[in-house]
Amino acid sequence: MLRYVVRRLIGVIPTLFVLSFLLYVWLRSLPGGPATALLGDKATPERIASLNKTLGLDQPIWVQYGKFVGRIFTGDFGSSLASSRPVTSELANALPATIELSAAALLFAIALGIPLGYLSAKRRGGFFDNSTVIATLIGVAVPVFFLGYVLKQWFAVDLGWLPPSGRITAGMDQTKVTGFLILDGILTREWDVVWDAIKHLILPAIALGTIPLAVIVRITRASVLDVLNEDYVRTAEAKGLRARTIRSRHVLRNALLPVSTTIGLQAGLLLAGAVLTEKVFVWGGIGSLLAEGIEKRDYPRLQALILVAALTYVLVNLLVDLSYALIDPRVRVR
């Protein structure tokens, strides 16, 4: 197992280098460039050329990329063109919010998706199965921003059960340790902060997690149906094994391989694509930073955010590969 993990970790390194190089070249090929974005209305060919020389943007692309990689290893992503603040500090403030939201959405999707998919497969063709399939189709079809506004209207405005936006009630005292509000509240034993943060998290997590929930239900259902028709399941039933043993050892474990792949892909999508949800619920995560960066052509911020998103996908896929080895020991041998 250790040898398998080491091989996978070594394979991540060239992937990250290729991703970072493609990102750097792509951003540098966009119209305008950092100098034009910085100068704004005062941009003239002479001023652009002078600023490019000052910033080192007149050097060959591989020289610029080498310096870029060197700064990354020191944690320096440059300063934002829009706010003039270090991009690293902006990421440190925004990333915990997005991770907290994405983790809650994924937990919601997994906790409901796998049991619903399994029960739907066990009751194939029945009322529960047909209702679940229809519900998943609706879940995939409804846009996230529309569902977010509907949830806000019902549960925040009409019923008043939950707060409509933000991560915590304005003016509430909180001790910042990690930037994750729920975790900080637990560490400092500020239980009112924990409960308030959870209430703020419920609606955006449901809105963001609905599409992954629908996908996980459908993949689980299809995977379980395939496994139920395997000979080893029928053999286990013929031996008289308990239903719980068959379900856990023979059906679910073998059906989880494609499900774990789906969960990994959905986790990457959640972390990288929470822009609309964060806008609707004024969440203040990396989605808001990304939208502002695109609007203002903030190249340093875009570089950092896209690189973080790419790194997230790579790490999530690594975790999926490792989960394969845990679920199916034969993967380690291959």
Side-chain angles (χ1 to χ4, degrees), residues 260-273:
S260 64
T261 302
T262 302
I263 292 173
L265 293 174
Q266 293 301 317
L269 289 172
L270 289 175
L271 281 169

Side-chain angles (χ1 to χ4, degrees), residues 113 116-117 120 129-142 210-219 221:
L116 286 177
S120 180
D129 180 35
N130 293 329
S131 302
T132 302
V133 171
I134 294 173
T136 56
L137 289 174
I138 296 174
V140 172
V142 175
T210 299
I211 292 179
L213 168 62
V215 174
I216 291 173
V217 169
R218 295 182 69 85
I219 296 298
R221 177 183 180 274

Side-chain angles (χ1 to χ4, degrees), residues 112-172:
L112 289 181
I114 293 178
L116 286 177
Y118 177 81
L119 292 175
S120 180
K122 290 290 287 183
R123 294 165 172 77
R124 183 181 182 182
F127 175 77
F128 181 85
D129 180 35
N130 293 329
S131 302
T132 302
V133 171
I134 294 173
T136 56
L137 289 174
I138 296 174
V140 172
V142 175
V144 172
F145 69 89
F146 175 76
L147 179 61
Y149 281 120
V150 170
L151 291 175
K152 285 178 66 173
Q153 181 65 39
W154 287 352
F155 295 101
V157 177
D158 294 342
L159 298 174
W161 291 353
L162 296 167
S165 61
R167 296 181 66 197
I168 198 167
T169 301
M172 176 170 285

Side-chain angles (χ1 to χ4, degrees), residues 50 80 112 126 246 285 288 299:
S50 175
S80 168
L112 289 181
I246 296 174
S288 305
Y299 290 87

Side-chain angles (χ1 to χ4, degrees), residues 19-36:
L19 283 172
S20 63
F21 180 74
L22 292 175
L23 166 64
Y24 193 85
V25 172
W26 173 69
L27 283 176
R28 288 298 178 269
S29 65
L30 294 177
T36 304

Side-chain angles (χ1 to χ4, degrees), residues 95-101 167 175-187 197:
L95 194 57
T98 299
I99 293 177
E100 195 171 55
L101 173 59
R167 296 181 66 197
T175 303
K176 185 175 181 180
V177 180
T178 64
F180 299 93
L181 296 184
I182 296 176
L183 179 59
D184 288 349
I186 294 174
L187 293 176

Side-chain angles (χ1 to χ4, degrees), residues 23-88:
L23 166 64
Y24 193 85
V25 172
W26 173 69
L27 283 176
R28 288 298 178 269
S29 65
L30 294 177
T36 304
L38 278 170
L39 293 171
D41 296 335
K42 299 178 181 179
T44 62
E46 294 78 12
R47 288 186 173 182
I48 292 175
S50 175
L51 187 55
N52 280 335
K53 186 175 182 179
T54 302
L55 298 175
L57 300 177
D58 59 336
Q59 297 176 347
I61 189 68
W62 57 85
V63 176
Q64 298 181 45
Y65 174 71
K67 293 180 178 179
F68 171 68
V69 172
R71 290 196 302 269
I72 287 179
F73 280 117
T74 63
D76 180 15
F77 287 96
S79 297
S80 168
L81 302 182
S83 64
S84 299
R85 295 176 56 200
V87 175
T88 305

